Amino acid sequence: PSLDELSRETAKATNAYVREVGFYRDLQANVSIPTPHLFHLGEDLDQNRFVLIMEDVRLATQGDQLAGCSVEDAQRSVAALGGLHGPLWNSPLADRFDWISARTPDRAAEMSGLLDMVVPGFMDRYGSRLAPEVFDAVHWVVAKYTRWFTSFETPTTLVHGDYRLDNMLFSTAPQARPLTVVDWQTAALGHGPADAAYFVGAGLLPETRREVESDLIVLYHQSLTDSGVSVDLEVVRRDYGRGSVSGLIMAVVASQIVGQTDRGDEMFCVMAERHAAQMADLGVADLIG
C-alpha cells in the first residue's frame, strides 16, 4: 500500500488494491496482454494490507505521461489491447467475481455524485492553470454524465481503466518484452474502446494524435478481430469517440483523491487539456446527444 495516507485511504474506499490483487489472481491467465510474471500475492482485507511480488522488468523504461510517446510506441500499446479486451468480450465478469463492479445505473449515479463533489476542488486548484475551454468540457461532462455512461454500443469487457504511459514499461532489448503493462488497481467492467481512446488522447501530443488517430482506431479494431471478436469498425469508432471522455473524468477525479505532488498536478492538467481537445476533435457532443 501507498505510504501516503490519503492515497492509502482512497485505495481502501475504492477497492483499488483488492482489484489489483483480483486481476492477478483471477484474470491474468485469461488475457494475453503483456503483464509481469507474478511470484506471490497476499492480502489482509481487515488491515488493508496487500503484497505483490513480481519479476524485475529491469531491461525496460517506464513511459512518461508528460512527454508523450512515439507513434511506434502508441501503435504497440493500442495493438496490445486486443489481448485484454478480446478474451473476455461480453463475459459476465461481475457475476463471477465480487471485486468487479457491475456497470449499472447505481454505478452511474455513484460516479455522477463523486464528480459533483470533486469538480469545485479541481476548478479551485487549477483555475489559473487551465484554459476556459477545459472547464467548459468539465461542466459538459458533469451535465451529461449519466447519458454518456449509457451511450456505448459495444458489449462490456475487462478494461484496464488507467491505460497510460506511466503504467507501461517499454524495451528494445532482444531478450525482453517490448511492452509490459502494470498497475491494475482500476481494472473494471467497461467498454474496450474507452481504454484505447484514453491512451491515445493522453499519450500523444495533440498535433501528432490528430495525424494518426484514425489509423490507430483501425489498428485497435484489427486487434479485436485478431482476438476473435466480431464488431463493426464504425461501432468501435463511435465508442472510441465516447471513450475520450474517460480521460477527462480521470484527471478531475484522481487529482482530488490522491496525495498532491508537483508532477501529479502537471500531469492532471496535461491530461485534462489533451482530453478536452480530443473530445472537441472527435465531436463527442454529437455522439452523446
Side-chain angles (χ1 to χ4, degrees):
S2 172
L3 297 178
D4 178 83
E5 183 176 0
L6 176 60
S7 295
R8 190 168 61 251
E9 289 305 308
T10 295
K12 182 177 181 179
T14 60
N15 283 332
Y17 300 143
V18 173
R19 281 188 278 179
E20 182 153 38
V21 168
F23 168 78
Y24 283 106
R25 180 189 59 231
D26 300 327
L27 294 176
Q28 183 185 28
N30 297 101
V31 298
S32 59
I33 192 169
T35 53
H37 177 74
L38 183 71
F39 294 106
H40 174 78
L41 66 80
E43 59 182 344
D44 182 339
L45 299 181
D46 292 335
Q47 298 296 320
N48 195 35
R49 297 173 63 192
F50 303 84
V51 61
L52 295 171
I53 301 177
M54 296 178 283
E55 66 172 305
D56 180 5
V57 190
R58 60 187 179 84
L59 297 177
T61 301
Q62 183 183 18
D64 186 339
Q65 191 68 44
L66 295 178
C69 69
S70 67
V71 172
E72 292 75 20
D73 280 344
Q75 292 169 333
R76 182 177 297 114
S77 302
V78 169
L81 281 172
L84 172 62
H85 301 152
L88 298 170
W89 193 261
N90 205 24
S91 178
L93 295 176
D95 295 336
R96 295 170 56 195
F97 306 108
D98 59 8
W99 57 269
I100 298 181
S101 300
R103 198 167 173 84
T104 63
D106 287 344
R107 177 63 175 164
E110 177 186 330
M111 288 301 300
S112 181
L114 178 59
L115 267 177
D116 288 338
M117 183 175 67
V118 300
V119 162
F122 179 84
M123 295 181 64
D124 181 65
R125 185 181 297 179
Y126 304 124
S128 61
R129 166 66 175 77
L130 295 173
E133 56 264 28
V134 176
F135 292 113
D136 289 344
V138 171
H139 289 306
W140 182 88
V141 170
V142 171
K144 297 287 187 177
Y145 184 84
T146 301
R147 184 186 294 271
W148 169 79
F149 189 91
T150 59
S151 66
F152 289 85
E153 300 174 65
T154 51
T156 55
T157 186
L158 179 69
V159 297
H160 184 281
D162 196 18
Y163 197 70
R164 58 187 176 86
L165 290 171
D166 282 9
N167 295 330
M168 298 175 177
L169 308 171
F170 297 92
S171 179
T172 57
Q175 64 271 46
R177 286 186 301 271
L179 171 68
T180 303
V181 181
V182 298
D183 194 352
W184 292 88
Q185 295 180 16
T186 49
L189 195 65
H191 300 278
D195 263 351
Y198 182 98
F199 171 81
V200 174
L204 290 172
L205 300 182
E207 56 271 22
T208 303
R209 173 184 57 76
R210 294 181 181 110
E211 294 175 359
V212 302
E213 191 160 32
S214 182
D215 290 340
L216 289 173
I217 296 171
V218 173
L219 178 62
Y220 170 65
H221 176 260
Q222 185 61 52
S223 77
L224 291 175
T225 300
D226 292 344
S227 295
V229 171
S230 177
V231 60
D232 186 77
L233 172 60
E234 291 310 308
V235 171
V236 169
R237 196 181 297 278
R238 289 193 294 270
D239 270 8
Y240 176 98
R242 297 176 179 109
S244 64
V245 176
S246 60
L248 184 60
I249 293 171
M250 178 65 82
V252 173
V253 174
S255 68
Q256 302 303 300
I257 64 173
V258 299
Q260 186 177 7
T261 65
D262 290 343
R263 187 183 188 279
D265 283 341
E266 184 61 18
M267 182 187 72
F268 292 129
C269 286
V270 166
M271 288 179 67
E273 290 170 334
R274 292 177 185 173
H275 284 294
Q278 184 187 31
M279 289 167 56
D281 291 341
L282 295 174
V284 169
D286 293 332
L287 290 171
I288 305 301

